[in-house]
Amino acid sequence: MFVPDSLRTAVAVAVYWAAIALGGSVLLSDPTSPLVAVPVLGGGAVVAHAARADRLVELGYAVGTMWIAVLALSIGTGVVDIVAPPDGEIAPLADYPGVAAIGTFGLVAVLVAAYAAFLRRSAERGTAE
């Protein structure tokens, strides 16, 4: 079955943007927080660049890297909760506004840094061949 390249690109853009918006806002306890704009707009800018530059493969790797950071953060929080609990269970990280803000910006920074690294790696491979 033939699928036009424009449709493939549109579906990839929508999936990547949704993955970035969900992953980047995982630390926000309030879905109506103004901080939701950080992963939505930041992710939109990265996705728009990748779509225009035809670098969706590199974007896919960057999104995967961001989700690895989400997983590491989740596991790290669980380990702290088990190993060093204070007088009870620790509150979820999302309940602390400072942590949620730093984490949200940090996850988008991981995305941007990974995307830049994969673009550089792709350019180096292109010149080496």
Side-chain angles (χ1 to χ4, degrees):
M1 182 167 108
F2 175 74
V3 178
D5 284 340
S6 60
L7 180 61
R8 254 183 246 208
T9 301
V11 170
V13 163
V15 168
Y16 288 146
W17 198 2
I20 293 167
L22 289 172
S25 62
V26 75
L27 291 175
L28 299 176
S29 61
D30 180 16
T32 61
S33 168
L35 282 173
V36 171
V38 173
V40 170
L41 296 178
V46 173
V47 170
H49 179 271
R52 284 179 165 248
D54 195 26
R55 296 295 184 191
L56 292 174
V57 172
E58 290 85 353
L59 177 63
Y61 289 132
V63 171
T65 303
M66 184 191 78
W67 274 97
I68 289 172
V70 169
L71 178 64
L73 185 61
S74 176
I75 290 172
T77 303
V79 168
V80 167
D81 193 27
I82 291 171
V83 174
D87 294 331
E89 293 185 22
I90 62 172
L93 284 178
D95 288 345
Y96 301 108
V99 172
I102 291 169
T104 300
F105 279 100
L107 288 172
V108 173
V110 166
L111 172 75
V112 171
Y115 180 61
F118 285 116
L119 284 178
R120 190 175 344 125
R121 182 177 177 210
S122 178
E124 289 171 359
R125 284 186 171 195
T127 58
E129 293 175 0

